[in-house]
Amino acid sequence: MFVELNELLNASPEKPEQGKLTLLRDTKTDGSFLVHHFLSFYLKAGCKVCFVALLQSFSHYNIIAQKLGVSLTAAKERGQLVFLEGLKSCFDVLFGEEQHVGQTNPLRFVSEDGSNLKTMYEFVRTSLMASGSDSWKCPVLLVDDLSVLLSLGVRPVDVLDFIHYCRVAVCSQLKGNIVVLVHSNDDSEDEENELVVNSLCHQSNLILWAEGLATGFCKDVHGQLKIIQKGSSELKAERNLLQIYQYKIQDKNVTFFARGMSAAVL
Amino acid sequence: MKIAWRYQNLPRIEVSPAASARFGHYYDGSKTVSPELLQSTKWHRFFLPEEKSLHPEIKTCNMTCGYTRLLQSIQRIIYQEGFDGSYPQKKQKNILRIGIQSLGSVLWGDDICCADNPEDIYSLTKFLYVLRGLLRMSLSACIITVPAHLIQNKAIMERVTNLSDTVVGLESFIGSERETNPLYKDYQGLIHVHQIPRLNSLICDVSGTKDLAFRLKRKLFTIE
């Protein structure tokens, strides 16, 4: 996890918040560093994590997590991490033996009618349900990334239904958190994706939006991060809190600074 | 090679940057591969019209038939030649290099290039996702060319980009106003590096040079 990002979010692994939906969004840049942050943050916090990793292999996340001080292999072995490797599951669905695939492969919608995410939801729910011997803190669902489901033929309404069901189960019933990554572009022509992104923006408690710099490539500033915290009280109409920082990604850390305050400039 | 430069490229191969300002292979574009080299190298070919009909048990997941057969062929080669570690490679370990031309075009049975409402708009992206899985789980790399100028649906192109590791675009000057621009008189087009991968690391090697153009001479293809 990135210590500076924890400070900006006023978050601590000692006392993770509960019942929250966090949306990670990237535009014209790669926001996956935020996924790595939350993965290591919640594992260090002692939460049980279900990671739906659709776009990269397990070893990719593991190598980076080790740089951040967490071993995903060890977390899996002690039952703290349930890792769904989407690419591998999809391969099993298409090329695997029928009896090995079974009825519970979360990616089986790829070979069927293409839009039913019920099996994936059941996978998430059973992964995060507390078992008697568990002593983990609140459960967390992490998804990287949701936009891939649209590419696999899932309709936007089914993607949103899936998130809704997960929110009920994870945030509401199990008092846990959900963190989801989506891609978006201001001038995007992908209407289905924009529909999903906009809907999730309205539902989220916290939005972290990584954007490439409008002025183009820069060696010392890799992008801009907008942090939008929704007013927490439903009774009082509290305004959303918006903060904007710039960041630089390094090998084992990401540093954040106020706009125009990059170390290279000062 | 004569036609390829008109297309937009979507390579999956990682281009490793070199310390010096000049790097690359000398590749004589006017010559063909020698028959001796072809005979001594193990290579496989996939030509859709020659493929036998689909094995009835294989799931198609609503993908265009051509894509399904191609995936089966690639998976079979990976398995039979041991690129997935299923049994140790007999000789020196090697990487399977795959080249796919004109993905998304009607040559593959996909109508995404020629229809406003394609029959299965998700065929191409599903194919890329499954291919990505095959590559991640084996010792292989793939370079694909896609005629992006024929695909009107920009949403699909955005998704294709997100499903790829490295994305490079070739923009020809032919037919554009740049053809007569004196600045570009020595070049045939521009090269856009749309995306480079961040694999196994938080950082990626971003080159400082962003404005690249290519020059196609009789024997040489250069990027400057």
Side-chain angles (χ1 to χ4, degrees):
Chain A
M1 62 184 189
F2 313 130
V3 173
E4 288 178 32
L5 184 55
N6 283 343
E7 286 167 9
L8 295 179
L9 297 176
N10 208 16
S12 158
E14 317 286 320
K15 290 191 281 92
E17 283 196 334
Q18 292 186 276
K20 300 289 180 207
L21 170 60
T22 300
L23 182 67
L24 308 177
R25 191 176 167 174
D26 61 22
T27 297
K28 290 188 170 37
T29 191
D30 185 352
S32 58
F33 68 95
L34 295 169
V35 174
H36 298 296
H37 165 80
F38 281 102
L39 177 60
S40 55
F41 174 86
Y42 282 117
L43 286 175
K44 283 188 180 174
C47 297
K48 182 153 188 188
V49 177
C50 175
F51 187 8
V52 176
L54 294 173
L55 208 52
Q56 300 286 10
S57 62
F58 174 78
S59 62
H60 163 82
Y61 294 103
N62 197 21
I63 289 172
I64 299 176
Q66 279 170 351
K67 294 186 185 182
L68 302 184
V70 172
S71 164
L72 298 190
T73 319
K76 260 180 35 170
E77 279 167 10
R78 59 179 182 254
Q80 187 186 9
L81 172 66
V82 177
F83 193 98
L84 171 59
E85 194 169 357
L87 291 169
K88 185 166 182 309
S89 294
C90 186
F91 176 88
D92 288 339
V93 165
L94 293 182
F95 299 108
E97 304 283 336
E98 184 62 46
Q99 55 268 33
H100 295 151
V101 172
Q103 298 297 308
T104 55
N105 189 317
L107 272 277
R108 48 188 281 246
F109 65 89
V110 175
S111 73
E112 291 172 351
D113 69 352
S115 204
N116 189 344
L117 294 178
K118 189 155 183 279
T119 319
M120 189 177 280
Y121 160 71
E122 289 296 334
F123 171 84
V124 169
R125 201 174 61 90
T126 37
S127 304
L128 291 178
M129 268 187 343
S131 73
S133 54
D134 273 349
S135 58
W136 308 116
K137 286 191 200 151
C138 59
V140 174
L141 167 64
L142 183 57
V143 182
D144 177 19
D145 69 64
L146 211 58
S147 304
V148 168
L149 292 175
L150 298 171
S151 295
L152 292 175
V154 183
R155 293 184 310 233
V157 66
D158 293 317
V159 174
L160 292 171
D161 277 349
F162 166 73
I163 292 292
H164 177 80
Y165 272 80
C166 288
R167 282 184 72 203
V168 170
V170 178
C171 295
S172 194
Q173 289 172 352
L174 300 174
K175 303 281 183 280
N177 297 315
I178 299 182
V179 180
V180 170
L181 174 74
V182 289
H183 302 299
S184 75
N185 270 329
D186 288 330
D187 53 356
S188 170
E189 294 197 23
D190 192 344
E191 288 175 1
E192 289 185 343
N193 190 53
E194 292 305 300
L195 177 73
V196 170
V197 172
N198 286 332
S199 176
L200 290 177
C201 277
H202 287 299
Q203 298 176 41
S204 307
N205 304 105
L206 172 67
I207 302 173
L208 297 182
W209 191 349
E211 293 174 284
L213 294 178
T215 43
F217 168 73
C218 168
K219 215 164 51 124
D220 297 295
V221 180
H222 294 152
Q224 168 176 288
L225 183 71
K226 274 188 191 154
I227 302 175
I228 304 163
Q229 305 208 354
K230 298 291 185 69
S232 48
S233 168
E234 282 142 358
L235 297 175
K236 288 195 295 183
E238 282 182 13
R239 299 177 74 185
N240 297 344
L241 184 64
L242 168 66
Q243 304 166 74
I244 303 181
Y245 298 94
Q246 291 179 333
Y247 61 86
K248 177 176 180 179
I249 302 178
Q250 294 155 331
D251 187 41
K252 296 185 183 184
N253 192 20
V254 177
T255 54
F256 297 84
F257 36 89
R259 282 181 290 182
M261 302 284 273
S262 154
V265 169
L266 292 173
Chain B
M1 268 308 276
K2 283 182 192 158
I3 302 175
W5 64 272
R6 288 184 197 252
Y7 291 158
Q8 297 218 343
N9 276 311
L10 281 175
R12 280 184 188 260
I13 244 176
E14 253 188 296
V15 176
S16 47
S20 62
R22 215 181 126 93
F23 60 92
H25 301 287
Y26 176 69
Y27 180 80
D28 188 342
S30 65
K31 293 206 177 110
T32 54
V33 181
S34 71
E36 296 82 30
L37 183 59
L38 272 179
Q39 272 186 333
S40 63
T41 313
K42 182 137 199 194
W43 59 278
H44 304 268
R45 187 179 92 130
F46 180 92
F47 186 47
L48 187 58
E50 284 178 0
E51 286 294 307
K52 301 192 227 358
S53 63
L54 208 55
H55 202 283
E57 283 162 19
I58 302 296
K59 306 175 188 73
T60 60
C61 70
N62 299 324
M63 240 191 288
T64 303
C65 202
Y67 294 152
T68 312
R69 288 194 216 171
L70 176 58
L71 285 170
Q72 282 167 19
S73 172
I74 293 173
Q75 193 267 334
R76 198 178 56 238
I77 294 168
I78 288 176
Y79 175 70
Q80 284 172 353
E81 304 290 331
F83 290 107
D84 60 353
S86 51
Y87 60 88
Q89 288 185 4
K90 288 165 192 138
K91 289 180 284 195
Q92 198 179 6
K93 258 205 173 125
N94 209 344
I95 293 180
L96 178 65
R97 297 154 177 87
I98 306 168
I100 305 177
Q101 260 191 311
S102 289
L103 199 67
S105 72
V106 290
L107 296 171
W108 293 100
D110 196 350
D111 60 354
I112 201 168
C113 284
C114 54
D116 277 336
N117 289 315
E119 201 181 310
D120 188 358
I121 203 168
Y122 304 112
S123 256
L124 177 59
T125 46
K126 275 187 203 172
F127 168 82
L128 286 175
Y129 186 78
V130 180
L131 178 65
R132 189 184 175 92
L134 278 174
L135 298 176
R136 286 289 195 273
M137 289 164 54
S138 61
L139 287 173
S140 51
C142 183
I143 180 163
I144 304 172
T145 67
V146 173
H149 59 290
L150 295 177
I151 299 181
Q152 300 292 325
N153 190 329
K154 297 298 166 221
I156 295 295
M157 285 314 297
E158 287 174 32
R159 293 184 188 180
V160 164
T161 301
N162 288 332
L163 288 168
S164 309
D165 293 313
T166 309
V167 180
V168 172
L170 263 64
E171 179 193 338
S172 162
F173 289 151
I174 297 247
S176 88
E177 62 205 4
R178 289 187 175 132
E179 205 172 359
T180 48
N181 187 329
L183 183 67
Y184 295 125
K185 70 173 167 53
D186 291 328
Y187 302 101
Q188 277 79 46
L190 297 177
I191 293 221
H192 304 285
V193 179
H194 292 298
Q195 183 167 287
I196 53 175
R198 264 171 228 261
L199 287 178
N200 303 324
S201 173
L202 283 171
I203 51 178
C204 62
D205 272 318
V206 185
S207 157
T209 319
K210 293 293 176 183
D211 299 305
L212 299 167
F214 66 86
R215 196 197 305 225
L216 182 64
K217 294 186 270 201
R218 194 171 57 91
K219 288 193 177 188
L220 204 56
F221 176 83
T222 55
I223 299 171
E224 294 170 23

